[in-house]
Amino acid sequence: MNVAPRNPITDLRASTGYTIEELSVVSGLTVVEIMKIESGELVDPAKVARLFAAAGLKQA
């Protein structure tokens, strides 16, 4: 059985109740950028920080 590891960014979005489209509006990132961050294809600390800020969290 192959189990994919949980993605903390996807979990963060789910915990806020935002769809990808809603998070895009709130964060200022594009839907494609968020999808790439969630898939691990894009790793940009500044963009991840924007997602945390949009979710109302402070990055450590």
Side-chain angles (χ1 to χ4, degrees):
M1 183 164 111
N2 237 352
V3 178
R6 294 186 59 97
N7 182 307
I9 301 300
T10 304
D11 291 345
L12 173 68
R13 180 173 58 79
S15 74
T16 65
Y18 287 136
T19 64
I20 290 178
E21 292 80 7
E22 292 167 333
L23 186 56
S24 172
V25 170
V26 174
S27 69
L29 298 176
T30 68
V31 169
V32 172
E33 287 174 316
I34 295 170
M35 291 173 66
K36 286 183 177 182
I37 290 169
E38 288 189 355
S39 73
E41 186 178 339
L42 175 64
V43 180
D44 182 331
K47 291 181 181 183
V48 171
R50 287 170 66 178
L51 293 178
F52 275 97
L57 300 174
K58 293 184 180 180
Q59 195 172 10

PDB file of all heavy atoms in Angstrom, residues 12-54:
ATOM      1  N   LEU A  12      -3.043  23.269   6.058  1.00  0.00           N
ATOM      2  CA  LEU A  12      -3.267  24.643   6.493  1.00  0.00           C
ATOM      3  C   LEU A  12      -4.472  25.238   5.767  1.00  0.00           C
ATOM      4  O   LEU A  12      -5.349  25.837   6.386  1.00  0.00           O
ATOM      5  CB  LEU A  12      -2.020  25.493   6.220  1.00  0.00           C
ATOM      6  CG  LEU A  12      -2.171  26.995   6.461  1.00  0.00           C
ATOM      7  CD1 LEU A  12      -2.342  27.283   7.946  1.00  0.00           C
ATOM      8  CD2 LEU A  12      -0.971  27.742   5.911  1.00  0.00           C
ATOM      9  N   ARG A  13      -4.508  25.060   4.460  1.00  0.00           N
ATOM     10  CA  ARG A  13      -5.627  25.588   3.680  1.00  0.00           C
ATOM     11  C   ARG A  13      -6.939  24.955   4.126  1.00  0.00           C
ATOM     12  O   ARG A  13      -7.952  25.642   4.315  1.00  0.00           O
ATOM     13  CB  ARG A  13      -5.405  25.350   2.184  1.00  0.00           C
ATOM     14  CG  ARG A  13      -6.550  25.879   1.336  1.00  0.00           C
ATOM     15  CD  ARG A  13      -6.252  25.799  -0.144  1.00  0.00           C
ATOM     16  NE  ARG A  13      -5.949  24.466  -0.613  1.00  0.00           N
ATOM     17  CZ  ARG A  13      -6.853  23.524  -0.876  1.00  0.00           C
ATOM     18  NH1 ARG A  13      -8.132  23.764  -0.674  1.00  0.00           N
ATOM     19  NH2 ARG A  13      -6.476  22.347  -1.329  1.00  0.00           N
ATOM     20  N   ALA A  14      -6.922  23.658   4.333  1.00  0.00           N
ATOM     21  CA  ALA A  14      -8.137  22.960   4.767  1.00  0.00           C
ATOM     22  C   ALA A  14      -8.612  23.461   6.135  1.00  0.00           C
ATOM     23  O   ALA A  14      -9.814  23.611   6.362  1.00  0.00           O
ATOM     24  CB  ALA A  14      -7.897  21.457   4.799  1.00  0.00           C
ATOM     25  N   SER A  15      -7.656  23.755   7.013  1.00  0.00           N
ATOM     26  CA  SER A  15      -8.026  24.214   8.354  1.00  0.00           C
ATOM     27  C   SER A  15      -8.676  25.596   8.338  1.00  0.00           C
ATOM     28  O   SER A  15      -9.434  25.934   9.238  1.00  0.00           O
ATOM     29  CB  SER A  15      -6.815  24.212   9.283  1.00  0.00           C
ATOM     30  OG  SER A  15      -5.946  25.282   8.983  1.00  0.00           O
ATOM     31  N   THR A  16      -8.369  26.392   7.309  1.00  0.00           N
ATOM     32  CA  THR A  16      -8.985  27.715   7.198  1.00  0.00           C
ATOM     33  C   THR A  16     -10.349  27.644   6.535  1.00  0.00           C
ATOM     34  O   THR A  16     -11.123  28.589   6.611  1.00  0.00           O
ATOM     35  CB  THR A  16      -8.108  28.676   6.370  1.00  0.00           C
ATOM     36  OG1 THR A  16      -8.027  28.206   5.022  1.00  0.00           O
ATOM     37  CG2 THR A  16      -6.733  28.847   6.964  1.00  0.00           C
ATOM     38  N   GLY A  17     -10.599  26.532   5.823  1.00  0.00           N
ATOM     39  CA  GLY A  17     -11.857  26.390   5.101  1.00  0.00           C
ATOM     40  C   GLY A  17     -11.821  27.030   3.724  1.00  0.00           C
ATOM     41  O   GLY A  17     -12.839  27.065   3.034  1.00  0.00           O
ATOM     42  N   TYR A  18     -10.658  27.545   3.321  1.00  0.00           N
ATOM     43  CA  TYR A  18     -10.526  28.176   2.013  1.00  0.00           C
ATOM     44  C   TYR A  18     -10.412  27.147   0.897  1.00  0.00           C
ATOM     45  O   TYR A  18      -9.768  26.122   1.064  1.00  0.00           O
ATOM     46  CB  TYR A  18      -9.254  29.033   1.931  1.00  0.00           C
ATOM     47  CG  TYR A  18      -9.278  30.329   2.700  1.00  0.00           C
ATOM     48  CD1 TYR A  18      -8.184  30.717   3.466  1.00  0.00           C
ATOM     49  CD2 TYR A  18     -10.362  31.191   2.637  1.00  0.00           C
ATOM     50  CE1 TYR A  18      -8.169  31.912   4.152  1.00  0.00           C
ATOM     51  CE2 TYR A  18     -10.363  32.389   3.327  1.00  0.00           C
ATOM     52  CZ  TYR A  18      -9.269  32.746   4.080  1.00  0.00           C
ATOM     53  OH  TYR A  18      -9.267  33.937   4.751  1.00  0.00           O
ATOM     54  N   THR A  19     -11.006  27.471  -0.231  1.00  0.00           N
ATOM     55  CA  THR A  19     -10.699  26.736  -1.450  1.00  0.00           C
ATOM     56  C   THR A  19      -9.394  27.324  -1.991  1.00  0.00           C
ATOM     57  O   THR A  19      -8.942  28.375  -1.520  1.00  0.00           O
ATOM     58  CB  THR A  19     -11.795  26.925  -2.521  1.00  0.00           C
ATOM     59  OG1 THR A  19     -11.822  28.305  -2.908  1.00  0.00           O
ATOM     60  CG2 THR A  19     -13.164  26.492  -2.011  1.00  0.00           C
ATOM     61  N   ILE A  20      -8.811  26.674  -2.976  1.00  0.00           N
ATOM     62  CA  ILE A  20      -7.596  27.227  -3.572  1.00  0.00           C
ATOM     63  C   ILE A  20      -7.893  28.604  -4.164  1.00  0.00           C
ATOM     64  O   ILE A  20      -7.094  29.534  -4.023  1.00  0.00           O
ATOM     65  CB  ILE A  20      -7.009  26.280  -4.645  1.00  0.00           C
ATOM     66  CG1 ILE A  20      -6.429  25.034  -3.970  1.00  0.00           C
ATOM     67  CG2 ILE A  20      -5.937  26.971  -5.464  1.00  0.00           C
ATOM     68  CD1 ILE A  20      -5.863  24.013  -4.926  1.00  0.00           C
ATOM     69  N   GLU A  21      -9.041  28.750  -4.783  1.00  0.00           N
ATOM     70  CA  GLU A  21      -9.415  30.031  -5.388  1.00  0.00           C
ATOM     71  C   GLU A  21      -9.558  31.127  -4.342  1.00  0.00           C
ATOM     72  O   GLU A  21      -9.099  32.258  -4.537  1.00  0.00           O
ATOM     73  CB  GLU A  21     -10.710  29.886  -6.193  1.00  0.00           C
ATOM     74  CG  GLU A  21     -10.588  29.032  -7.435  1.00  0.00           C
ATOM     75  CD  GLU A  21     -10.631  27.512  -7.172  1.00  0.00           C
ATOM     76  OE1 GLU A  21     -10.901  27.085  -6.009  1.00  0.00           O
ATOM     77  OE2 GLU A  21     -10.379  26.764  -8.116  1.00  0.00           O
ATOM     78  N   GLU A  22     -10.177  30.806  -3.225  1.00  0.00           N
ATOM     79  CA  GLU A  22     -10.339  31.794  -2.150  1.00  0.00           C
ATOM     80  C   GLU A  22      -8.990  32.176  -1.548  1.00  0.00           C
ATOM     81  O   GLU A  22      -8.729  33.347  -1.288  1.00  0.00           O
ATOM     82  CB  GLU A  22     -11.269  31.251  -1.065  1.00  0.00           C
ATOM     83  CG  GLU A  22     -12.702  31.100  -1.511  1.00  0.00           C
ATOM     84  CD  GLU A  22     -13.544  30.292  -0.555  1.00  0.00           C
ATOM     85  OE1 GLU A  22     -13.002  29.424   0.168  1.00  0.00           O
ATOM     86  OE2 GLU A  22     -14.775  30.516  -0.542  1.00  0.00           O
ATOM     87  N   LEU A  23      -8.134  31.183  -1.323  1.00  0.00           N
ATOM     88  CA  LEU A  23      -6.809  31.464  -0.770  1.00  0.00           C
ATOM     89  C   LEU A  23      -5.989  32.305  -1.740  1.00  0.00           C
ATOM     90  O   LEU A  23      -5.213  33.156  -1.326  1.00  0.00           O
ATOM     91  CB  LEU A  23      -6.081  30.168  -0.427  1.00  0.00           C
ATOM     92  CG  LEU A  23      -4.745  30.319   0.297  1.00  0.00           C
ATOM     93  CD1 LEU A  23      -4.898  31.116   1.585  1.00  0.00           C
ATOM     94  CD2 LEU A  23      -4.143  28.957   0.584  1.00  0.00           C
ATOM     95  N   SER A  24      -6.211  32.095  -3.015  1.00  0.00           N
ATOM     96  CA  SER A  24      -5.530  32.898  -4.032  1.00  0.00           C
ATOM     97  C   SER A  24      -5.891  34.369  -3.878  1.00  0.00           C
ATOM     98  O   SER A  24      -5.015  35.242  -3.896  1.00  0.00           O
ATOM     99  CB  SER A  24      -5.919  32.396  -5.428  1.00  0.00           C
ATOM    100  OG  SER A  24      -5.420  33.250  -6.420  1.00  0.00           O
ATOM    101  N   VAL A  25      -7.152  34.652  -3.705  1.00  0.00           N
ATOM    102  CA  VAL A  25      -7.609  36.039  -3.551  1.00  0.00           C
ATOM    103  C   VAL A  25      -7.037  36.652  -2.275  1.00  0.00           C
ATOM    104  O   VAL A  25      -6.532  37.773  -2.277  1.00  0.00           O
ATOM    105  CB  VAL A  25      -9.155  36.107  -3.548  1.00  0.00           C
ATOM    106  CG1 VAL A  25      -9.644  37.493  -3.156  1.00  0.00           C
ATOM    107  CG2 VAL A  25      -9.704  35.695  -4.902  1.00  0.00           C
ATOM    108  N   VAL A  26      -7.092  35.909  -1.173  1.00  0.00           N
ATOM    109  CA  VAL A  26      -6.651  36.422   0.120  1.00  0.00           C
ATOM    110  C   VAL A  26      -5.132  36.606   0.167  1.00  0.00           C
ATOM    111  O   VAL A  26      -4.641  37.577   0.737  1.00  0.00           O
ATOM    112  CB  VAL A  26      -7.117  35.479   1.261  1.00  0.00           C
ATOM    113  CG1 VAL A  26      -6.551  35.899   2.596  1.00  0.00           C
ATOM    114  CG2 VAL A  26      -8.628  35.443   1.321  1.00  0.00           C
ATOM    115  N   SER A  27      -4.389  35.688  -0.440  1.00  0.00           N
ATOM    116  CA  SER A  27      -2.928  35.719  -0.347  1.00  0.00           C
ATOM    117  C   SER A  27      -2.260  36.536  -1.444  1.00  0.00           C
ATOM    118  O   SER A  27      -1.107  36.942  -1.303  1.00  0.00           O
ATOM    119  CB  SER A  27      -2.371  34.293  -0.401  1.00  0.00           C
ATOM    120  OG  SER A  27      -2.550  33.730  -1.695  1.00  0.00           O
ATOM    121  N   GLY A  28      -2.969  36.732  -2.553  1.00  0.00           N
ATOM    122  CA  GLY A  28      -2.358  37.428  -3.678  1.00  0.00           C
ATOM    123  C   GLY A  28      -1.530  36.527  -4.571  1.00  0.00           C
ATOM    124  O   GLY A  28      -0.913  37.004  -5.527  1.00  0.00           O
ATOM    125  N   LEU A  29      -1.513  35.235  -4.270  1.00  0.00           N
ATOM    126  CA  LEU A  29      -0.812  34.269  -5.123  1.00  0.00           C
ATOM    127  C   LEU A  29      -1.799  33.737  -6.157  1.00  0.00           C
ATOM    128  O   LEU A  29      -3.010  33.757  -5.936  1.00  0.00           O
ATOM    129  CB  LEU A  29      -0.258  33.108  -4.298  1.00  0.00           C
ATOM    130  CG  LEU A  29       0.769  33.461  -3.230  1.00  0.00           C
ATOM    131  CD1 LEU A  29       1.143  32.224  -2.431  1.00  0.00           C
ATOM    132  CD2 LEU A  29       2.001  34.084  -3.840  1.00  0.00           C
ATOM    133  N   THR A  30      -1.270  33.231  -7.251  1.00  0.00           N
ATOM    134  CA  THR A  30      -2.165  32.659  -8.256  1.00  0.00           C
ATOM    135  C   THR A  30      -2.578  31.257  -7.835  1.00  0.00           C
ATOM    136  O   THR A  30      -1.917  30.616  -7.005  1.00  0.00           O
ATOM    137  CB  THR A  30      -1.494  32.589  -9.637  1.00  0.00           C
ATOM    138  OG1 THR A  30      -0.429  31.625  -9.593  1.00  0.00           O
ATOM    139  CG2 THR A  30      -0.964  33.938 -10.078  1.00  0.00           C
ATOM    140  N   VAL A  31      -3.659  30.785  -8.424  1.00  0.00           N
ATOM    141  CA  VAL A  31      -4.117  29.419  -8.171  1.00  0.00           C
ATOM    142  C   VAL A  31      -3.013  28.436  -8.546  1.00  0.00           C
ATOM    143  O   VAL A  31      -2.744  27.476  -7.814  1.00  0.00           O
ATOM    144  CB  VAL A  31      -5.420  29.131  -8.960  1.00  0.00           C
ATOM    145  CG1 VAL A  31      -5.759  27.653  -8.927  1.00  0.00           C
ATOM    146  CG2 VAL A  31      -6.570  29.957  -8.408  1.00  0.00           C
ATOM    147  N   VAL A  32      -2.346  28.667  -9.662  1.00  0.00           N
ATOM    148  CA  VAL A  32      -1.276  27.767 -10.112  1.00  0.00           C
ATOM    149  C   VAL A  32      -0.129  27.752  -9.109  1.00  0.00           C
ATOM    150  O   VAL A  32       0.414  26.686  -8.791  1.00  0.00           O
ATOM    151  CB  VAL A  32      -0.777  28.168 -11.522  1.00  0.00           C
ATOM    152  CG1 VAL A  32       0.459  27.385 -11.911  1.00  0.00           C
ATOM    153  CG2 VAL A  32      -1.885  27.971 -12.546  1.00  0.00           C
ATOM    154  N   GLU A  33       0.243  28.922  -8.570  1.00  0.00           N
ATOM    155  CA  GLU A  33       1.320  28.968  -7.570  1.00  0.00           C
ATOM    156  C   GLU A  33       0.947  28.152  -6.336  1.00  0.00           C
ATOM    157  O   GLU A  33       1.768  27.395  -5.812  1.00  0.00           O
ATOM    158  CB  GLU A  33       1.616  30.407  -7.159  1.00  0.00           C
ATOM    159  CG  GLU A  33       2.331  31.209  -8.215  1.00  0.00           C
ATOM    160  CD  GLU A  33       2.480  32.670  -7.851  1.00  0.00           C
ATOM    161  OE1 GLU A  33       1.499  33.280  -7.361  1.00  0.00           O
ATOM    162  OE2 GLU A  33       3.575  33.203  -8.069  1.00  0.00           O
ATOM    163  N   ILE A  34      -0.281  28.300  -5.877  1.00  0.00           N
ATOM    164  CA  ILE A  34      -0.718  27.552  -4.689  1.00  0.00           C
ATOM    165  C   ILE A  34      -0.721  26.058  -4.977  1.00  0.00           C
ATOM    166  O   ILE A  34      -0.268  25.255  -4.152  1.00  0.00           O
ATOM    167  CB  ILE A  34      -2.100  28.040  -4.215  1.00  0.00           C
ATOM    168  CG1 ILE A  34      -1.995  29.497  -3.740  1.00  0.00           C
ATOM    169  CG2 ILE A  34      -2.640  27.146  -3.090  1.00  0.00           C
ATOM    170  CD1 ILE A  34      -3.327  30.163  -3.469  1.00  0.00           C
ATOM    171  N   MET A  35      -1.204  25.672  -6.150  1.00  0.00           N
ATOM    172  CA  MET A  35      -1.207  24.248  -6.503  1.00  0.00           C
ATOM    173  C   MET A  35       0.217  23.698  -6.550  1.00  0.00           C
ATOM    174  O   MET A  35       0.472  22.578  -6.081  1.00  0.00           O
ATOM    175  CB  MET A  35      -1.914  24.050  -7.841  1.00  0.00           C
ATOM    176  CG  MET A  35      -3.410  24.310  -7.771  1.00  0.00           C
ATOM    177  SD  MET A  35      -4.242  24.294  -9.368  1.00  0.00           S
ATOM    178  CE  MET A  35      -4.033  22.594  -9.841  1.00  0.00           C
ATOM    179  N   LYS A  36       1.159  24.474  -7.083  1.00  0.00           N
ATOM    180  CA  LYS A  36       2.554  24.020  -7.154  1.00  0.00           C
ATOM    181  C   LYS A  36       3.175  23.945  -5.765  1.00  0.00           C
ATOM    182  O   LYS A  36       3.956  23.037  -5.480  1.00  0.00           O
ATOM    183  CB  LYS A  36       3.367  24.945  -8.056  1.00  0.00           C
ATOM    184  CG  LYS A  36       3.066  24.740  -9.523  1.00  0.00           C
ATOM    185  CD  LYS A  36       3.939  25.620 -10.396  1.00  0.00           C
ATOM    186  CE  LYS A  36       3.683  25.343 -11.869  1.00  0.00           C
ATOM    187  NZ  LYS A  36       4.565  26.160 -12.729  1.00  0.00           N
ATOM    188  N   ILE A  37       2.837  24.887  -4.887  1.00  0.00           N
ATOM    189  CA  ILE A  37       3.339  24.830  -3.509  1.00  0.00           C
ATOM    190  C   ILE A  37       2.787  23.597  -2.807  1.00  0.00           C
ATOM    191  O   ILE A  37       3.519  22.867  -2.133  1.00  0.00           O
ATOM    192  CB  ILE A  37       2.980  26.122  -2.749  1.00  0.00           C
ATOM    193  CG1 ILE A  37       3.800  27.293  -3.306  1.00  0.00           C
ATOM    194  CG2 ILE A  37       3.228  25.960  -1.251  1.00  0.00           C
ATOM    195  CD1 ILE A  37       3.345  28.660  -2.816  1.00  0.00           C
ATOM    196  N   GLU A  38       1.492  23.354  -2.971  1.00  0.00           N
ATOM    197  CA  GLU A  38       0.880  22.190  -2.324  1.00  0.00           C
ATOM    198  C   GLU A  38       1.444  20.876  -2.849  1.00  0.00           C
ATOM    199  O   GLU A  38       1.545  19.902  -2.113  1.00  0.00           O
ATOM    200  CB  GLU A  38      -0.638  22.223  -2.495  1.00  0.00           C
ATOM    201  CG  GLU A  38      -1.304  23.280  -1.654  1.00  0.00           C
ATOM    202  CD  GLU A  38      -2.815  23.187  -1.640  1.00  0.00           C
ATOM    203  OE1 GLU A  38      -3.389  22.347  -2.366  1.00  0.00           O
ATOM    204  OE2 GLU A  38      -3.440  23.967  -0.891  1.00  0.00           O
ATOM    205  N   SER A  39       1.826  20.833  -4.117  1.00  0.00           N
ATOM    206  CA  SER A  39       2.369  19.598  -4.690  1.00  0.00           C
ATOM    207  C   SER A  39       3.857  19.428  -4.400  1.00  0.00           C
ATOM    208  O   SER A  39       4.415  18.365  -4.648  1.00  0.00           O
ATOM    209  CB  SER A  39       2.142  19.561  -6.205  1.00  0.00           C
ATOM    210  OG  SER A  39       3.012  20.477  -6.854  1.00  0.00           O
ATOM    211  N   GLY A  40       4.501  20.499  -3.918  1.00  0.00           N
ATOM    212  CA  GLY A  40       5.929  20.439  -3.652  1.00  0.00           C
ATOM    213  C   GLY A  40       6.774  20.837  -4.849  1.00  0.00           C
ATOM    214  O   GLY A  40       7.998  20.842  -4.779  1.00  0.00           O
ATOM    215  N   GLU A  41       6.129  21.184  -5.942  1.00  0.00           N
ATOM    216  CA  GLU A  41       6.849  21.579  -7.151  1.00  0.00           C
ATOM    217  C   GLU A  41       7.490  22.957  -6.998  1.00  0.00           C
ATOM    218  O   GLU A  41       8.522  23.239  -7.595  1.00  0.00           O
ATOM    219  CB  GLU A  41       5.874  21.589  -8.332  1.00  0.00           C
ATOM    220  CG  GLU A  41       6.505  21.840  -9.668  1.00  0.00           C
ATOM    221  CD  GLU A  41       5.485  21.797 -10.795  1.00  0.00           C
ATOM    222  OE1 GLU A  41       4.407  21.202 -10.636  1.00  0.00           O
ATOM    223  OE2 GLU A  41       5.787  22.375 -11.845  1.00  0.00           O
ATOM    224  N   LEU A  42       6.889  23.819  -6.207  1.00  0.00           N
ATOM    225  CA  LEU A  42       7.402  25.170  -5.982  1.00  0.00           C
ATOM    226  C   LEU A  42       7.690  25.337  -4.506  1.00  0.00           C
ATOM    227  O   LEU A  42       6.816  25.140  -3.664  1.00  0.00           O
ATOM    228  CB  LEU A  42       6.367  26.215  -6.433  1.00  0.00           C
ATOM    229  CG  LEU A  42       6.683  27.685  -6.153  1.00  0.00           C
ATOM    230  CD1 LEU A  42       7.919  28.122  -6.937  1.00  0.00           C
ATOM    231  CD2 LEU A  42       5.497  28.552  -6.525  1.00  0.00           C
ATOM    232  N   VAL A  43       8.935  25.671  -4.198  1.00  0.00           N
ATOM    233  CA  VAL A  43       9.321  25.907  -2.806  1.00  0.00           C
ATOM    234  C   VAL A  43       9.927  27.307  -2.744  1.00  0.00           C
ATOM    235  O   VAL A  43      11.080  27.510  -3.079  1.00  0.00           O
ATOM    236  CB  VAL A  43      10.341  24.861  -2.309  1.00  0.00           C
ATOM    237  CG1 VAL A  43      10.721  25.130  -0.863  1.00  0.00           C
ATOM    238  CG2 VAL A  43       9.790  23.458  -2.478  1.00  0.00           C
ATOM    239  N   ASP A  44       9.103  28.255  -2.366  1.00  0.00           N
ATOM    240  CA  ASP A  44       9.521  29.651  -2.274  1.00  0.00           C
ATOM    241  C   ASP A  44       9.116  30.161  -0.893  1.00  0.00           C
ATOM    242  O   ASP A  44       7.931  30.373  -0.627  1.00  0.00           O
ATOM    243  CB  ASP A  44       8.847  30.460  -3.382  1.00  0.00           C
ATOM    244  CG  ASP A  44       9.252  31.918  -3.392  1.00  0.00           C
ATOM    245  OD1 ASP A  44       9.590  32.475  -2.325  1.00  0.00           O
ATOM    246  OD2 ASP A  44       9.216  32.514  -4.484  1.00  0.00           O
ATOM    247  N   PRO A  45      10.098  30.344  -0.007  1.00  0.00           N
ATOM    248  CA  PRO A  45       9.769  30.751   1.367  1.00  0.00           C
ATOM    249  C   PRO A  45       8.916  32.017   1.457  1.00  0.00           C
ATOM    250  O   PRO A  45       8.036  32.118   2.321  1.00  0.00           O
ATOM    251  CB  PRO A  45      11.130  30.965   2.013  1.00  0.00           C
ATOM    252  CG  PRO A  45      12.059  30.104   1.223  1.00  0.00           C
ATOM    253  CD  PRO A  45      11.536  30.136  -0.187  1.00  0.00           C
ATOM    254  N   ALA A  46       9.128  32.970   0.573  1.00  0.00           N
ATOM    255  CA  ALA A  46       8.348  34.204   0.616  1.00  0.00           C
ATOM    256  C   ALA A  46       6.880  33.929   0.278  1.00  0.00           C
ATOM    257  O   ALA A  46       5.978  34.498   0.902  1.00  0.00           O
ATOM    258  CB  ALA A  46       8.926  35.238  -0.351  1.00  0.00           C
ATOM    259  N   LYS A  47       6.654  33.045  -0.674  1.00  0.00           N
ATOM    260  CA  LYS A  47       5.276  32.718  -1.052  1.00  0.00           C
ATOM    261  C   LYS A  47       4.598  31.868   0.018  1.00  0.00           C
ATOM    262  O   LYS A  47       3.418  32.052   0.309  1.00  0.00           O
ATOM    263  CB  LYS A  47       5.244  32.034  -2.416  1.00  0.00           C
ATOM    264  CG  LYS A  47       5.611  33.022  -3.518  1.00  0.00           C
ATOM    265  CD  LYS A  47       5.576  32.409  -4.879  1.00  0.00           C
ATOM    266  CE  LYS A  47       5.982  33.490  -5.896  1.00  0.00           C
ATOM    267  NZ  LYS A  47       5.918  33.034  -7.249  1.00  0.00           N
ATOM    268  N   VAL A  48       5.351  30.976   0.626  1.00  0.00           N
ATOM    269  CA  VAL A  48       4.794  30.178   1.722  1.00  0.00           C
ATOM    270  C   VAL A  48       4.437  31.103   2.892  1.00  0.00           C
ATOM    271  O   VAL A  48       3.387  30.939   3.518  1.00  0.00           O
ATOM    272  CB  VAL A  48       5.782  29.074   2.152  1.00  0.00           C
ATOM    273  CG1 VAL A  48       5.308  28.382   3.422  1.00  0.00           C
ATOM    274  CG2 VAL A  48       5.971  28.061   1.022  1.00  0.00           C
ATOM    275  N   ALA A  49       5.279  32.092   3.149  1.00  0.00           N
ATOM    276  CA  ALA A  49       4.996  33.054   4.221  1.00  0.00           C
ATOM    277  C   ALA A  49       3.708  33.814   3.934  1.00  0.00           C
ATOM    278  O   ALA A  49       2.933  34.103   4.859  1.00  0.00           O
ATOM    279  CB  ALA A  49       6.163  34.026   4.384  1.00  0.00           C
ATOM    280  N   ARG A  50       3.451  34.130   2.665  1.00  0.00           N
ATOM    281  CA  ARG A  50       2.203  34.812   2.300  1.00  0.00           C
ATOM    282  C   ARG A  50       0.992  33.924   2.580  1.00  0.00           C
ATOM    283  O   ARG A  50      -0.060  34.418   3.006  1.00  0.00           O
ATOM    284  CB  ARG A  50       2.238  35.234   0.836  1.00  0.00           C
ATOM    285  CG  ARG A  50       3.181  36.408   0.612  1.00  0.00           C
ATOM    286  CD  ARG A  50       3.435  36.702  -0.823  1.00  0.00           C
ATOM    287  NE  ARG A  50       2.239  37.173  -1.519  1.00  0.00           N
ATOM    288  CZ  ARG A  50       2.243  37.541  -2.796  1.00  0.00           C
ATOM    289  NH1 ARG A  50       3.357  37.508  -3.499  1.00  0.00           N
ATOM    290  NH2 ARG A  50       1.130  37.937  -3.367  1.00  0.00           N
ATOM    291  N   LEU A  51       1.152  32.621   2.362  1.00  0.00           N
ATOM    292  CA  LEU A  51       0.049  31.700   2.662  1.00  0.00           C
ATOM    293  C   LEU A  51      -0.209  31.658   4.163  1.00  0.00           C
ATOM    294  O   LEU A  51      -1.360  31.662   4.601  1.00  0.00           O
ATOM    295  CB  LEU A  51       0.351  30.303   2.126  1.00  0.00           C
ATOM    296  CG  LEU A  51       0.397  30.165   0.608  1.00  0.00           C
ATOM    297  CD1 LEU A  51       0.744  28.737   0.223  1.00  0.00           C
ATOM    298  CD2 LEU A  51      -0.916  30.576  -0.034  1.00  0.00           C
ATOM    299  N   PHE A  52       0.877  31.611   4.952  1.00  0.00           N
ATOM    300  CA  PHE A  52       0.721  31.619   6.411  1.00  0.00           C
ATOM    301  C   PHE A  52       0.032  32.903   6.862  1.00  0.00           C
ATOM    302  O   PHE A  52      -0.880  32.864   7.694  1.00  0.00           O
ATOM    303  CB  PHE A  52       2.081  31.496   7.109  1.00  0.00           C
ATOM    304  CG  PHE A  52       2.547  30.083   7.259  1.00  0.00           C
ATOM    305  CD1 PHE A  52       3.428  29.521   6.356  1.00  0.00           C
ATOM    306  CD2 PHE A  52       2.123  29.307   8.323  1.00  0.00           C
ATOM    307  CE1 PHE A  52       3.869  28.221   6.491  1.00  0.00           C
ATOM    308  CE2 PHE A  52       2.564  28.005   8.481  1.00  0.00           C
ATOM    309  CZ  PHE A  52       3.433  27.454   7.565  1.00  0.00           C
ATOM    310  N   ALA A  53       0.453  34.029   6.309  1.00  0.00           N
ATOM    311  CA  ALA A  53      -0.153  35.310   6.685  1.00  0.00           C
ATOM    312  C   ALA A  53      -1.632  35.346   6.308  1.00  0.00           C
ATOM    313  O   ALA A  53      -2.464  35.831   7.081  1.00  0.00           O
ATOM    314  CB  ALA A  53       0.599  36.461   6.031  1.00  0.00           C
ATOM    315  N   ALA A  54      -1.960  34.837   5.133  1.00  0.00           N
ATOM    316  CA  ALA A  54      -3.350  34.814   4.686  1.00  0.00           C
ATOM    317  C   ALA A  54      -4.199  33.941   5.594  1.00  0.00           C
ATOM    318  O   ALA A  54      -5.386  34.200   5.781  1.00  0.00           O
ATOM    319  CB  ALA A  54      -3.430  34.321   3.238  1.00  0.00           C
TER     320      ALA A  54
END
